[in-house]
Amino acid sequence: MHRMVKMRGRRVFMMGAAALTLAVASITSAQAQQIDWPACDSGYICYWDQEDFQGNKVTERPWALSGCFYTPIHAKSIYNNTSNDYAFYSDDYCESFDRRVNHWDQASRANAKTIRWV
């Protein structure tokens, strides 16, 4: 009987380990699918007029100046493929903060009309 309990415990452990491995593989696969970077040349910020990097795309090589500047379009998606961090605003005066997009990062859902180097 002791041997039977030991075998049953080993079988339960192996089934649990297999389930955990499958769960981790599923999570890893889902995370890999989420990091699907849109096309944007190095050194540029790319803007889309629709969320999730859809619609018309406009590319801009930004500069690191202080001040508030208009984005080339009212952006609903942004990919910052530069080495600088930028703050984006939903108004004309860089007062209504929308989001910060750090260097080599993206925002698939934005509302940006103006930009400021941070």
Side-chain angles (χ1 to χ4, degrees):
M1 178 160 168
H2 177 67
R3 182 171 172 81
M4 194 168 153
V5 170
K6 200 175 200 182
M7 292 285 289
R8 184 176 294 152
R10 184 177 296 157
R11 194 173 343 156
V12 169
F13 173 77
M14 294 301 287
M15 288 173 54
L20 180 61
T21 302
L22 182 61
V24 169
S26 297
I27 291 170
T28 304
S29 175
Q31 288 173 339
Q33 290 174 357
Q34 290 175 356
I35 305 174
D36 188 19
W37 297 97
C40 184
D41 291 335
S42 180
Y44 287 85
I45 296 179
C46 296
Y47 305 90
W48 286 262
D49 62 358
Q50 295 178 26
E51 293 180 347
D52 300 319
F53 312 104
Q54 301 297 312
N56 296 319
K57 173 183 164 186
V58 177
T59 303
E60 173 183 56
R61 183 180 283 283
W63 54 95
L65 298 174
S66 61
C68 178
F69 301 93
Y70 282 103
T71 57
I73 60 172
H74 188 161
K76 298 295 183 176
S77 304
I78 303 166
Y79 181 13
N80 177 8
N81 200 8
T82 72
S83 59
N84 296 313
D85 298 344
Y86 292 92
F88 294 88
Y89 301 84
S90 60
D91 66 344
D92 293 335
Y93 310 104
C94 290
E95 294 174 353
S96 183
F97 181 72
D98 181 57
R99 69 187 60 248
R100 179 178 175 148
V101 182
N102 295 327
H103 59 284
W104 302 301
D105 202 1
Q106 63 179 340
S108 63
R109 298 178 190 277
N111 183 24
K113 290 175 74 176
T114 49
I115 180 174
R116 178 176 293 186
W117 177 61
V118 290

